[in-house]
Amino acid sequence: MAIYDNLHVLLFLSSPFSHSILCTGIRHGASAFLKGYFLGGAETTMYDYTLTLGGLAMKVLLLTLNAKYIHSSLALRYLKAYCRPVCADILVREYSINNGLLDILGDIYREKPGVIGMACYIWNIEMTLTLAGLIKKVLPDTAIVLGGPEVSYDPAEVMAGHAAVDYIVQGEGEETLYRLLSSLQSGRDVETIEGLAFRRGGRVVINGGPQIVHDLSCIPFPYSDEDMAQLADKIIYYESSRGCPFSCQYCLSSATTGVRFLPLERVYRDMEFFIRHDVKQVKFVDRTFNAKKEHYFPLWQFLARQNCRTNFHFEIAADILDDEVLAFLAQVPPGRFQFEIGVQSTYEPTLAEIKRRNDWSRIARNVLKLRSYDNIHLHLDLIVGLPYETYERFGRSFNDLYALQPHMLQIGFLKLLKGSGIRRRAGQHGYVFMDTAPYQVLANNYLTYGEVRKLHILEEVFNQTYNSGRFPATLRWLVDCYSGDAFRLYADLAAYWEERGLHSLSHSAKSLFGHMAEFCRYHRLKDAICLQLLKFDALAGEGGVRPEFLPWNGDEWEYVKTRFWRDEATVRQYLPGYCFTSWREIKRNYHIEVFEVNIPHYLAGGELREERTVILFSYAQDRINYQIVQPHDFGM
């Protein structure tokens, strides 16, 4: 769920922890030299600082523990870029929560930094605090600074329980850095700096709360040519705004008000940098990218004009897209944009309680229109555990979104995040949730733990079937068999999975085809039709899976297929420009299969007729294509 997954980019994007990192090393006789510096491209005068500690240049290490290897930290790169004028020797290290603690500790010890800054999020906070304690044992003189959403809202509690932590910086911190550096440079006390937590005389001092940066144009572009080489196989994150126009009570964006934007000319230059480096995907972390048309629409138009292969991912509110924008989106090059749309629920009392404004009729209309264009990947979100939404009512929200047939429908589970409004009112709705991160809901007044557990298994099965994209024809037929009640189908699939212990196993693509076939037999659905649909899905899928148990033609039509491929004039009716080259080329690029039902007619909105149908699959293009071969052209 993007609401949670991107917190590591948004809420620590410009965290003041990096700024105070540099400042911690100025203690005890450190000196600093400041000179005026004008940041290229920015309108704000900044400073070039050179820090020394005891006459030696100080080494600063910024690190985080990402949730997965493919993730990258936009936060650390912002911090390094911003702090480079302060200290030339700034290292960035990204690990994942799957790395061993002692391996990470050894890597840090080898660098022997004077200051270490660590970014803290729901997926890494426990491991990060343990790591901080270990660092202090082997590098007792190193200053440790924490930042990020997991320490910004209860810094006193964190510092009281973890003696290894020297500083905590709350919220966004570029401006806090200047004030902190200025105070330390002139010998003034840091107690006047808002947003800073520090130790004084054996006690923890908290001055103010999380800070924000009002003028984003003063923040430098965070990526370099060297970064692009290092991030070739990772997700690239970017932001063009901070804040959100909504006040959803489950999200930390509700902790601040208003939206701040980067100047468009700056964003254009930044996008040109990514395009020049042929980046595969740029993932915007703006909480609601299309909050302001004067900002987002010119940028979309700019990106649509570019000659590039880069995909741009945006989190948007679908109901505020107007007809002008929708008409434009119909012409966007296929694969250029990817939209994530957080609907979360379609139940009005729930939406009112979490202070989320949804115009469901406009969402449905606009998503269906975007889906019809077939040029933009659509990802819709739901959240389990919101107030007033029972198991049955969640099923209705699920069916509402499923009917729109997004490319992906993500089921997330509510997390009662520190600083969120819903956490402050947890008692009102009887929330039972994890005491430690990620603070995931276990039950409330509307859902029992048993129901939450069932939905966890449903989510897993749904990801392996619908979201995997492996079974579009089979699942469409199964939903029809369930009279259109998709939620009941997936609930039955989840029960089937659990009864056989499949929910605790990993599955290959081939084994999933077998489980789907067995599910149809178990529920006494038409086995012969199910196998034909599974065979179609196997041939139309990207993975090239050919489960042996499916009713393949084998040698039955081999003579007819050979004659077809030899007849170039006939084949050109289906494949313009076709010329017979070799059987190896044909086998690699094409496949003909005879089915006992007319699946293309069914997928186009018709009935599933039991009639022999010849389908030609083409693998020669970027996308797998299929078409019906007329019986007289196939010699039938």
Side-chain angles (χ1 to χ4, degrees):
M1 181 79 47
I3 291 297
Y4 308 117
D5 289 348
N6 287 332
L7 285 176
H8 68 294
V9 183
L10 175 66
L11 290 176
F12 195 55
L13 203 52
S14 58
S15 170
F17 100 87
S18 65
H19 309 286
S20 57
I21 284 172
L22 298 171
C23 301
T24 55
I26 307 181
R27 299 174 302 172
H28 309 306
S31 62
F33 170 75
L34 285 75
K35 63 179 181 179
Y37 176 76
F38 186 82
L39 182 67
E43 298 179 357
T44 303
T45 300
M46 304 177 69
Y47 297 95
D48 183 9
Y49 305 103
T50 302
L51 298 186
T52 60
L53 182 62
L56 299 174
M58 182 177 64
K59 179 183 288 188
V60 176
L61 175 62
L62 309 180
L63 69 89
T64 193
L65 310 176
N66 293 322
K68 296 180 181 178
Y69 169 79
I70 62 169
H71 294 168
S72 65
S73 175
L74 174 59
L76 297 188
R77 286 172 176 80
Y78 258 127
L79 299 171
K80 179 179 179 179
Y82 197 92
C83 296
R84 187 177 293 112
V86 179
C87 178
D89 195 5
I90 302 177
L91 303 178
V92 167
R93 290 286 186 270
E94 293 184 75
Y95 306 94
S96 87
I97 57 176
N98 298 312
N99 292 123
L101 271 174
L102 292 180
D103 293 333
I104 299 173
L105 180 66
D107 197 30
I108 294 170
Y109 181 81
R110 185 176 66 245
E111 297 295 343
K112 292 185 173 59
V115 178
I116 295 175
M118 295 191 284
C120 304
Y121 314 106
I122 55 175
W123 57 84
N124 72 13
I125 182 62
E126 303 299 330
M127 191 172 175
T128 299
L129 290 171
T130 301
L131 180 61
L134 292 174
I135 292 170
K136 212 65 169 179
K137 289 177 182 292
V138 299
L139 295 170
D141 296 328
T142 296
I144 295 178
V145 186
L146 303 185
E150 270 306 291
V151 295
S152 286
Y153 298 95
D154 59 350
E157 180 180 340
V158 173
M159 294 186 74
H162 300 86
V165 179
D166 297 306
Y167 292 91
I168 288 179
V169 182
Q170 306 169 80
E172 303 172 22
E174 286 83 358
E175 293 172 0
T176 304
L177 168 65
Y178 291 120
R179 297 172 60 191
L180 178 59
L181 287 176
S182 176
S183 296
L184 293 172
Q185 185 66 22
S186 62
R188 295 194 303 270
D189 203 306
V190 299
E191 288 188 354
T192 61
I193 301 176
E194 294 186 1
L196 183 66
F198 54 95
R199 300 183 187 277
R200 180 61 51 87
R203 64 187 180 93
V204 176
V205 179
I206 309 295
N207 190 20
Q211 304 296 295
I212 65 169
V213 176
H214 295 281
D215 180 12
L216 299 186
S217 65
C218 70
I219 304 173
F221 180 63
Y223 294 101
S224 66
D225 293 334
E226 181 182 351
D227 289 327
M228 291 299 98
Q230 296 173 350
L231 296 172
D233 56 348
K234 296 190 177 185
I235 299 172
I236 304 292
Y237 295 98
Y238 180 83
E239 68 168 358
S240 71
S241 66
R242 292 183 186 177
C244 184
F246 303 109
S247 300
C248 304
Q249 295 299 289
Y250 55 82
C251 179
L252 287 186
S253 293
S254 63
T256 60
T257 59
V259 186
R260 294 148 288 145
F261 300 90
L262 280 174
L264 272 175
E265 290 302 323
R266 154 76 181 271
V267 181
Y268 295 157
R269 292 197 303 271
D270 295 348
M271 294 303 101
E272 288 171 344
F273 174 88
F274 293 131
I275 293 169
R276 187 167 66 252
H277 283 276
D278 196 27
V279 170
K280 184 177 180 181
Q281 184 185 66
V282 175
K283 192 166 187 177
F284 279 70
V285 298
D286 303 49
R287 301 314 308 158
T288 303
F289 178 79
N290 62 326
K292 181 180 178 182
K293 188 175 180 180
E294 294 81 1
H295 177 79
Y296 82 84
F297 194 33
L299 181 53
W300 275 354
Q301 292 172 315
F302 172 83
L303 294 174
R305 292 193 300 268
Q306 304 307 305
N307 180 20
C308 67
R309 72 179 186 109
T310 304
N311 168 266
F312 299 91
H313 176 105
F314 306 97
E315 295 180 35
I316 69 166
D319 48 351
I320 59 178
L321 297 173
D322 60 27
D323 289 339
E324 179 188 17
V325 174
L326 288 168
F328 157 77
L329 291 173
Q331 309 302 318
V332 170
R336 183 63 53 85
F337 293 165
Q338 181 170 308
F339 291 162
E340 185 167 349
I341 301 167
V343 180
Q344 321 310 5
S345 174
T346 61
Y347 190 40
E348 284 301 326
T350 293
L351 296 171
E353 178 63 17
I354 62 175
K355 298 184 180 179
R356 183 175 182 87
R357 301 189 305 274
N358 276 357
D359 186 335
W360 170 243
S361 62
R362 284 188 61 86
I363 290 174
R365 167 186 174 268
N366 290 349
V367 169
L368 285 172
K369 185 167 288 191
L370 290 171
R371 191 69 175 89
S372 71
Y373 300 159
D374 199 28
N375 62 343
I376 297 172
H377 180 92
L378 299 177
H379 175 152
L380 271 58
D381 293 335
L382 280 174
I383 297 179
V384 172
L386 294 174
Y388 305 131
E389 194 155 63
T390 64
Y391 182 86
E392 291 75 18
R393 190 56 191 76
F394 176 81
R396 291 177 60 184
S397 290
F398 177 93
N399 282 341
D400 288 339
L401 269 64
Y402 191 90
L404 305 181
Q405 287 292 285
H407 298 94
M408 177 173 286
L409 200 174
Q410 184 164 320
I411 302 170
F413 291 78
L414 180 66
K415 298 173 178 64
L416 279 77
L417 303 175
K418 293 179 180 179
S420 66
I422 203 164
R423 180 165 176 146
R424 290 193 295 270
R425 298 195 302 277
Q428 177 183 339
H429 299 286
Y431 274 108
V432 180
F433 60 99
M434 297 170 61
D435 294 327
T436 56
Y439 317 111
Q440 191 160 295
V441 65
L442 302 175
N444 60 21
N445 289 341
Y446 324 101
L447 282 172
T448 67
Y449 174 69
E451 290 170 329
V452 172
R453 180 178 178 275
K454 285 199 292 186
L455 290 172
H456 272 290
I457 299 174
L458 186 150
E459 177 214 11
E460 177 188 342
V461 174
F462 188 74
N463 287 337
Q464 293 173 341
T465 54
Y466 182 91
N467 282 341
S468 71
R470 292 190 181 100
F471 306 103
T474 306
L475 289 173
R476 177 168 180 164
W477 175 71
L478 286 172
V479 171
D480 285 346
C481 291
Y482 274 71
S483 303
D485 191 343
F487 183 73
R488 187 163 62 91
L489 163 65
Y490 290 104
D492 279 358
L493 264 172
Y496 177 86
W497 239 247
E498 183 182 12
E499 288 168 5
R500 285 153 182 77
L502 301 177
H503 64 296
S504 58
L505 303 174
S506 58
H507 304 283
S508 67
K510 187 174 291 187
S511 70
L512 287 172
F513 277 84
H515 298 322
M516 294 294 285
E518 288 297 327
F519 173 81
C520 291
R521 294 190 190 102
Y522 178 78
H523 284 274
R524 298 182 179 180
L525 302 174
K526 292 183 179 180
D527 185 57
I529 291 180
C530 177
L531 294 179
Q532 291 291 315
L533 290 161
L534 287 172
K535 183 170 70 166
F536 177 88
D537 285 334
L539 290 169
E542 299 288 344
V545 178
R546 302 288 188 272
E548 293 82 0
F549 73 90
L550 293 175
W552 303 105
N553 292 167
D555 296 332
E556 182 179 359
W557 299 94
E558 196 61 33
Y559 173 76
V560 180
K561 293 177 183 178
T562 299
R563 188 173 59 187
F564 174 82
W565 288 118
R566 287 288 192 184
D567 187 349
E568 294 182 348
T570 298
V571 178
R572 286 194 192 109
Q573 297 177 56
Y574 304 93
L575 302 171
Y578 167 82
C579 291
F580 179 83
T581 53
S582 69
W583 294 115
R584 177 181 295 177
E585 286 294 310
I586 289 173
K587 185 176 181 180
R588 182 171 64 216
N589 294 321
Y590 310 105
H591 181 88
I592 292 177
E593 189 75 16
V594 181
F595 292 81
E596 299 304 317
V597 289
N598 191 335
I599 298 173
H601 176 76
Y602 174 62
L603 294 177
E607 295 181 356
L608 186 58
R609 300 195 299 248
E610 294 190 38
E611 60 184 24
R612 186 163 286 172
T613 308
V614 182
I615 303 180
L616 166 60
F617 295 85
S618 175
Y619 305 100
Q621 309 300 322
D622 292 337
R623 299 174 65 177
I624 297 174
N625 298 308
Y626 63 86
Q627 55 188 310
I628 293 177
V629 177
Q630 296 304 315
H632 61 271
D633 289 331
F634 197 65
M636 294 176 64

